[in-house]
Amino acid sequence: MKPWSKKPVIATLGSHSALQIAKGARDEGLHNLIVTIPKSTALYARYPCVNDVLEIESYGAFPSIEKKLRATNAIIVPHGSFVAYLGLKQHKEMNVAYFGNKNVLDWEFDRRKQRKWMEEASIVVPKLFSRNEGIDRPVIIKTFGAAGGSGYMLAKNNTDLKKYIKKMAGKQYILQEYIIGVPMYVHYFYSVMDKRLEILSIDRRYESNADGIGRLPIQHQTGLLEPSYTVVGNSPLSVRESLLPELYAMGERVITASKNLISPQGLFGPFCLEMIIDERQHMYTIEISARIVAGTNLFINGSPYADLFFDVPMSTGRRIAREISVAYKRKQLHKILHLDSHEKK
Ligand code: AMP
Ligand code: AMP
């Protein structure tokens, strides 16, 4: 294995949480590089925390720069746009050193696998309904893959359900019990170097139109509009301290289960458990994101939770850079990278 004689360069795609990742790298003394498409080059060039911008015509052209990235000792830090813009296949085939375990991607993308993972970790999830059975409670119809909540539909009864299922022809989706409560997104980081799980921050999403409906008088809400869940932004959340023990226990169980299910070393680095807490304070996990989520952008300058661990403002982006930097110094980068085929030789 190549000992990484030169310091690694943190590279990512220009979108989603790229600025946070770039600033985090700079704060940890690592060079960064952002790969952009023409419409966003000027944006990333604006910021002093971005060292290099490398433009490609379209995301499809990513393979054409892989050789260059390898030559600069780049480590790719993935975020939500990788699957959304590159697609799962291209993302997996990317032939550059990669922070994280790519085998986790299959478990994140396929909602049935996700569910198996959550069950293995004893995480409570909302009830799933199959297409042919009737529903006895409101159900949310969700497509596969991270799409920021867009395209989801809420069926109140079987009549709604039939109508919506027709619209979903040819798509992969699930029918999930709809939980009424507060959506809470917990941003974890599991450090291989420190063998420690950290909650770095928590957000709740602001979604259109679901979060706007309450502003309408009740007579306008009824029958006039369908709720939708397209994410518009995020707001910070601090939770009742008495909820923290369970949140940590859930994160630990997810990591332990991943070690058994996902070769070679399970999940590590940033991940997010997206849950809804009902009035009994029961936590229903609706999804796991096995990478940095956009809600962490609220905390580029640290968060109340990260401050409990670190004396410097620690964003998730910076935490990733620190893990990489520590691994580099200890000559243990192989423990946290999915290496490209050149490296493995
Ligand atoms: P964008 O770069 O804004 O086009 O986003 C890339 C992907 O990340 C899309 O799938 C978005 O739906 C998702 N995304 C972007 N911002 C957020 C956010 N604040 N919260 C959740 N998902 C997001
Ligand atoms: P997701 O793509 O799974 O992160 O979901 C996007 C948004 O849809 C969430 O932030 C919730 O507002 C809503 N949502 C998803 N699943 C459920 C559910 N089972 N019950 C209630 N709301 C949900």
Side-chain angles (χ1 to χ4, degrees):
M1 190 149 320
K2 183 172 138 188
W4 288 81
S5 44
K6 274 196 314 200
K7 246 192 192 184
V9 168
I10 303 289
T12 196
L13 286 185
S15 156
H16 192 270
S17 46
L19 289 168
Q20 181 194 159
I21 292 167
K23 181 165 189 306
R26 196 198 61 166
D27 289 346
E28 290 297 310
L30 296 177
H31 200 83
N32 65 62
L33 179 157
I34 298 194
V35 179
T36 59
I37 52 169
K39 80 171 177 75
S40 44
T41 303
L43 170 78
Y44 291 97
R46 250 171 218 282
Y47 291 99
C49 63
V50 176
N51 293 125
D52 282 320
V53 176
L54 181 59
E55 187 179 284
I56 47 177
E57 273 315 301
S58 67
Y59 291 114
F62 192 88
S64 67
I65 54 160
E66 288 179 352
K67 200 168 166 201
K68 190 166 181 181
L69 291 175
R70 285 196 300 271
T72 52
N73 246 10
I75 293 176
I76 297 279
V77 172
H79 53 58
S81 293
F82 277 67
V83 169
Y85 295 155
L86 293 179
L88 187 62
K89 190 162 174 278
Q90 199 180 348
H91 186 177
K92 283 170 77 173
E93 286 170 359
M94 200 180 263
N95 210 359
V96 185
Y98 175 100
F99 176 69
N101 175 0
K102 280 189 190 169
N103 297 333
V104 168
L105 291 171
D106 292 323
W107 288 79
E108 187 196 24
F109 182 77
D110 182 333
R111 290 191 186 273
R112 283 175 292 253
K113 283 191 156 175
Q114 247 197 50
R115 197 166 182 92
K116 181 166 187 255
W117 182 4
M118 294 304 105
E119 275 167 9
E120 194 93 357
S122 304
I123 298 289
V124 180
V125 292
K127 183 175 158 60
L128 263 196
F129 288 86
S130 75
R131 245 166 258 198
N132 308 320
E133 89 187 290
I135 55 170
D136 57 0
R137 63 195 85 179
V139 155
I140 185 163
I141 305 165
K142 300 166 75 164
T143 43
F144 278 24
S150 69
Y152 291 179
M153 290 177 283
L154 174 62
K156 294 183 289 300
N157 50 39
N158 286 309
T159 317
D160 277 0
L161 187 65
K162 272 197 195 128
K163 189 171 73 189
Y164 291 144
I165 281 184
K166 271 198 194 134
K167 289 191 189 169
M168 301 299 278
K171 292 195 187 135
Q172 285 184 296
Y173 63 89
I174 54 161
L175 307 176
Q176 192 178 68
E177 169 187 16
Y178 188 79
I179 309 292
I180 297 176
V182 175
M184 183 167 103
Y185 287 55
V186 185
H187 314 146
Y188 295 90
F189 190 92
Y190 178 67
S191 166
V192 174
M193 291 296 115
D194 295 336
K195 296 189 180 57
R196 177 170 92 174
L197 180 70
E198 298 154 5
I199 289 177
L200 290 181
S201 45
I202 305 176
D203 80 294
R204 60 156 298 188
R205 282 181 172 186
Y206 208 70
E207 292 162 346
S208 192
N209 58 17
D211 286 307
I213 288 171
R215 300 172 60 193
L216 294 175
I218 186 83
Q219 63 272 29
H220 289 276
Q221 290 178 27
T222 327
L224 251 190
L225 45 86
E226 300 288 351
S228 59
Y229 300 88
T230 305
V231 63
V232 175
N234 311 72
S235 33
L237 198 70
S238 74
V239 297
R240 288 171 70 159
E241 200 155 306
S242 55
L243 295 176
L244 288 177
E246 178 55 13
L247 294 180
Y248 270 107
M250 288 166 73
E252 305 274 9
R253 296 201 300 269
V254 164
I255 294 293
T256 307
S258 77
K259 289 193 167 117
N260 298 329
L261 293 174
I262 311 170
S263 68
Q265 75 275 57
L267 172 68
F268 58 87
F271 68 102
C272 173
L273 288 183
E274 312 182 354
M275 51 189 103
I276 306 208
I277 310 213
D278 74 5
E279 78 275 14
R280 297 163 302 167
Q281 298 205 64
H282 290 180
M283 300 170 186
Y284 293 86
T285 297
I286 54 175
E287 195 166 310
I288 177 168
S289 293
R291 53 185 160 75
I292 183 169
V293 293
T296 59
N297 284 339
L298 285 165
F299 306 104
I300 289 182
N301 204 27
S303 90
Y305 293 109
D307 285 359
L308 300 170
F309 283 117
F310 301 99
D311 293 330
V312 293
M314 186 60 72
S315 66
T316 294
R318 184 169 182 179
R319 187 68 187 87
I320 294 168
R322 180 164 288 193
E323 183 85 345
I324 291 173
S325 169
V326 170
Y328 167 69
K329 285 179 192 149
R330 291 189 196 163
K331 299 197 171 12
Q332 292 183 344
L333 274 173
H334 57 281
K335 289 193 176 174
I336 57 164
L337 299 183
H338 199 110
L339 295 171
D340 68 85
S341 51
H342 299 75
E343 291 297 328
K344 280 183 189 155
K345 279 176 202 154

